[in-house]
DNA sequence: CTTACTGCAAACACTTTGCAAAGTA
DNA sequence: TACTTTGCAAAGTGTTTGCAGTAAG
């Protein structure tokens, strides 16, 4: 079983930055750690978490830095993001990609095995030459609870 | 083969509005017609189109009216929208729902048969009690052209 | 020391809301 | 007339950008 909250091993970050002549900064380390420690983290949520961690006196990375850093980390392959529908995208630590399923009624998010779309991906590849990126968007629908609720509360 | 630009039969609109004690206005007719006449229309694109149709002197519906109207038309089942990723959602006339596939590289949009996800939908229903709304989000990936371009222009 | 990075503030894109005037039934 | 809609203007999110000062290598 995977470690719940990996204390974020910073090594890959330092390496990949160095490989491109980029610099290791505390902001970059902190943003990466925040993404790793949160689930389905929006940029806003990440910024908030960083402010909490910094405390009332400490300085947290600026919002614009959070955005810029997320973009960078994604280019480096350390994080990825998914659009859950409307609103802000959510970021994940790179590890095991997964597919999201969101309830349009209550917003509940489930993670499912990306293999769910394997056959669809194969058909798209064969018929359109299109290679599916399973993780980048979430599937939308209605969860059992919301479906049961129909008719119960008009 | 389907009619290219159906001249938008307004009957269903009038009926459904009346059925709910709502009113038929020219704005509502115009917004519906614009959605029917455009493909993958964002609210902004719809507003622009309406401005063009109104001409330099005529009055086009206000942006806020466009948003309110799209929401209404969707409740009435006359249009539906899809999130293509980041940015504004796109609206479609209700008719035949379809699934969108977007290239992350060039933004090209393909429409595919929703049946593509039938087996995935069945598994989600069986395993999670989740009913998939196939049209609400687009699948993301890379189209053949963008894939071929990799390595050609670094 | 050189050049990348950050914080700040302002601008942007997309939507929503309150309210008085206008329009439909 | 009674009640729904609209337009306008302003406020709300979510995100990006220009730039001068700060800091990593």
């Amino acid at each position: 079983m995977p470690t719940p909250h990996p204390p974020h091993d910073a090594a890959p970050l330092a390496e990949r930055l160095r490989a491109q002549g980029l610099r290791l900064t505390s902001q970059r380390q902190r943003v990466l750690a925040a993404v790793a420690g949160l689930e389905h983290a929006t940029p806003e949520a990440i910024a908030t978490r960083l402010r909490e961690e910094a405390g009332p006196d400490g300085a947290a990375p600026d919002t614009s830095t959070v955005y810029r850093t997320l973009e960078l980390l994604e280019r480096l392959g350390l994080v990825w993001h998914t659009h859950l529908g409307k609103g802000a995208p959510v970021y994940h630590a790179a590890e095991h990609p997964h597919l999201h399923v969101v309830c349009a009624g209550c917003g509940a998010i489930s993670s499912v095995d990306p293999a769910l779309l394997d056959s669809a991906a194969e058909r798209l590849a064969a018929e359109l030459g299109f290679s599916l990126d399973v993780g980048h968007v979430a599937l939308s629908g209605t969860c059992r609870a919301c479906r049961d609720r129909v008719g119960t509360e008009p």
Side-chain angles (χ1 to χ4, degrees), chain A:
Chain A
M1 61 191 79
T3 317
H5 272 192
H8 106 275
D9 77 301
L13 174 58
E15 278 170 29
R16 302 199 197 198
L17 286 170
R18 206 150 300 155
Q20 308 209 17
L22 302 177
R23 292 170 186 179
L24 180 62
T25 65
S26 84
Q27 288 89 337
R28 288 171 177 176
Q29 298 177 85
R30 284 185 275 165
V31 170
L32 179 54
V35 173
L38 292 167
E39 300 252 310
H40 312 308
T42 60
E44 164 70 14
I46 293 166
T48 300
R49 159 65 73 100
L50 291 173
R51 259 176 255 121
E52 293 168 0
E53 288 177 352
D57 41 315
D62 188 74
T63 302
S64 62
T65 299
V66 172
Y67 279 97
R68 285 188 280 228
T69 303
L70 288 171
E71 197 191 328
L72 171 66
L73 295 177
E74 189 150 25
R75 275 202 309 274
L76 295 180
L78 296 170
V79 307
W80 53 283
H81 76 270
T82 302
H83 294 282
L84 257 30
K86 67 157 186 165
V90 298
Y91 283 81
H92 309 78
E95 317 153 39
H96 29 57
H98 50 279
L99 176 60
H100 294 92
V101 174
V102 190
C103 174
C106 62
I109 304 168
S110 305
S111 297
V112 307
D113 183 350
L116 181 73
L117 295 186
D118 277 356
S119 72
E122 276 166 34
R123 281 188 51 192
L124 288 173
E127 294 169 22
L128 297 178
F130 187 94
S131 85
L132 185 61
D133 173 6
V134 168
H136 189 233
V137 292
L139 299 177
S140 180
T142 308
C143 71
R144 196 198 316 263
C146 284
R147 149 150 299 198
D148 291 347
R149 187 153 49 238
V150 173
T152 309
E153 53 171 69

